[in-house]
Amino acid sequence: MKPEISIIVPIYNVELYLNKCVDSILAQSFSNFEVILVNDGSPDKCGEICEYYKELDPRIVVIHKQNGGLSDARNYGIEVARGRYIGFVDSDDWIEPDMYESLYSLITSHDADIAACGHYEVMDDVPLEKSFSHEVHVYNNAQGLDKLLEDKEIQNLAWDKLYKAELFAQVRYPVGKYFEDIFTTYKLFLQADNTVLLDSPKYMYLKRSDSITGAMNNKKYYDRFCAALEIYETIQDKNYPVAKEISLSRTVTEGIELCNYQLITGETAVNKEYLAELGGFLSKHISQILRNRTLRREMKTAALLILTSSTVYKMLYYSKLRLKGSNMI
């Protein structure tokens, strides 16, 4: 019998955390699922742990593959998933026993395409303080996209959601990119007629210093800018007036953060290339930027200065860092 839900777990170098993750999935009160463990060429004992669980529970499917990164591992899982719905759990995280029962109940009872829940960030085994309303909200297509781009109630995350599998028919995670969720989740929301949100923490996200989103670097800043820019350009010819405003604001903000990092790291060929791309975007959209109602005045001023006098902007930015006592310059 085909499972209702396919839960995809990409795995790499997490032998200390994997048991807790998989045990939390197998303990779900909703039982009609398959768990697709994708061993992404992990150099530790993750492969052996996967095989142990495969023998333990017939709902476990194991894929062993060469290392290709998080996006590639998720894509492998999507290809073999048999469920009507797809969910993701990162292999160093864990979930509450009723997470998938809650999401499945919501997505079916509201005839939704995506169901989302809240999450706790956990550091040193202690959930960081965060408040939840425990309310259920249903959003139509435009509202759902607006909420996603606001990145507050609904965030650009793969793993706190349950999706109709058909949404992935033409969608895969981008291999070789950081912030792959930002590049991907909006494509799913563009297809979703309805999204339902349960504002209760059902997912436990482990904050690790060695995770992908740990320390930022040049490529990460650039990829985050590119993801925001891609969203903005994708929805330009669509009827999403609020989303367009939010998306433009987000793209400018990410672009300025990219610029600031270039100033800190100094001039290189790559930095010049990134800044030229940012300059082209700002120049093309400066009139919309200045009219944008969601963008802070500080960001508008920064965009103007970067375009008209990068030397002045550089001086002002360094002065700001000195006032903050930063040791980055």
Side-chain angles (χ1 to χ4, degrees):
M1 186 175 67
K2 289 181 64 174
E4 278 292 281
I5 299 175
S6 296
I7 304 169
I8 298 169
V9 185
I11 297 165
Y12 184 78
N13 210 24
V14 287
E15 66 174 283
L16 296 178
Y17 313 99
L18 185 55
N19 291 92
K20 185 172 185 177
C21 172
V22 179
D23 287 344
S24 74
I25 298 172
L26 296 181
Q28 289 295 290
S29 54
F30 183 92
S31 61
N32 187 8
F33 60 78
E34 65 176 353
V35 186
I36 304 173
L37 302 179
V38 185
N39 174 26
D40 190 33
S42 188
D44 56 8
K45 295 181 179 179
C46 283
E48 298 172 28
I49 297 172
C50 289
E51 289 298 322
Y52 164 78
Y53 279 104
K54 182 180 177 181
E55 295 298 319
L56 182 69
D57 195 308
R59 296 174 295 178
I60 300 283
V61 177
V62 175
I63 299 173
H64 298 286
K65 59 179 287 296
Q66 290 185 340
N67 179 250
L70 177 60
S71 289
D72 194 46
R74 284 180 180 165
N75 292 341
Y76 264 77
I78 294 168
E79 292 291 337
V80 304
R82 299 181 300 129
R84 291 176 58 201
Y85 302 94
I86 288 177
F88 300 94
V89 178
D90 282 358
S91 51
D92 48 0
D93 301 334
W94 65 98
I95 58 180
E96 291 292 285
D98 65 342
M99 173 171 160
Y100 281 107
E101 180 180 8
S102 300
L103 292 179
Y104 182 80
S105 175
L106 289 171
I107 204 170
T108 54
S109 63
H110 292 278
D111 191 25
D113 298 286
I114 301 172
C117 64
H119 70 274
Y120 272 124
E121 294 184 350
V122 181
M123 184 175 290
D124 298 326
D125 292 326
V126 178
L128 301 182
E129 187 173 344
K130 188 177 181 181
S131 61
F132 298 90
S133 69
H134 305 287
E135 296 175 349
V136 173
H137 303 276
V138 181
Y139 301 112
N140 63 27
N141 174 258
Q143 292 168 334
L145 184 63
D146 294 346
K147 292 296 182 182
L148 177 71
L149 298 186
E150 286 173 356
D151 205 31
K152 295 175 183 176
E153 286 183 49
I154 300 176
Q155 293 182 275
N156 278 285
L157 304 168
W159 35 254
D160 59 351
K161 301 174 181 69
L162 185 65
Y163 315 84
K164 280 187 177 177
E166 62 202 53
L167 298 181
F168 287 95
Q170 303 298 324
V171 175
R172 293 294 184 271
Y173 288 88
V175 177
K177 299 283 190 183
Y178 292 107
F179 300 101
E180 64 289 322
D181 293 353
I182 303 177
F183 280 100
T184 307
T185 308
Y186 82 95
K187 296 176 182 176
L188 306 173
F189 273 71
L190 282 174
Q191 301 176 67
D193 291 330
N194 291 298
T195 297
V196 56
L197 168 67
L198 170 63
D199 189 31
S200 291
K202 302 296 182 182
Y203 191 101
M204 301 295 173
Y205 169 72
L206 181 64
K207 295 200 72 170
R208 295 168 50 199
S209 60
D210 60 341
S211 70
I212 289 176
T213 53
M216 290 295 289
N217 59 37
N218 208 13
K219 181 68 162 54
K220 290 179 182 179
Y221 277 108
Y222 178 68
D223 281 357
R224 200 164 64 179
F225 166 69
C226 288
L229 178 59
E230 179 183 291
I231 296 170
Y232 178 68
E233 292 180 338
T234 299
I235 65 175
Q236 281 312 289
D237 60 347
K238 301 180 177 7
N239 187 26
Y240 295 114
V242 176
K244 289 177 186 177
E245 289 256 314
I246 298 169
S247 180
L248 178 60
S249 177
R250 181 71 177 267
T251 308
V252 172
T253 300
E254 299 294 358
I256 290 171
E257 289 197 10
L258 171 66
C259 176
N260 292 345
Y261 192 81
Q262 312 304 308
L263 295 179
I264 292 169
T265 55
E267 288 192 6
T268 67
V270 170
N271 284 3
K272 289 180 179 178
E273 180 182 336
Y274 289 173
L275 288 176
E277 188 170 345
L278 170 62
F281 164 76
L282 294 177
S283 177
K284 182 179 179 181
H285 298 95
I286 190 61
S287 60
Q288 296 101 306
I289 291 169
L290 295 178
R291 293 196 305 267
N292 190 285
R293 291 168 294 181
T294 65
L295 188 62
R296 302 196 323 269
R297 182 179 298 178
E298 178 187 356
M299 292 291 107
K300 294 179 182 181
T301 302
L304 270 176
L305 279 174
I306 291 169
L307 274 180
T308 58
S309 181
S310 58
T311 301
V312 172
Y313 179 78
K314 184 176 181 178
M315 290 172 56
L316 291 173
Y317 181 65
Y318 281 167
S319 296
K320 183 178 179 181
L321 289 179
R322 290 190 185 96
L323 285 173
K324 289 183 175 180
S326 173
N327 59 2
M328 301 180 73
I329 56 174

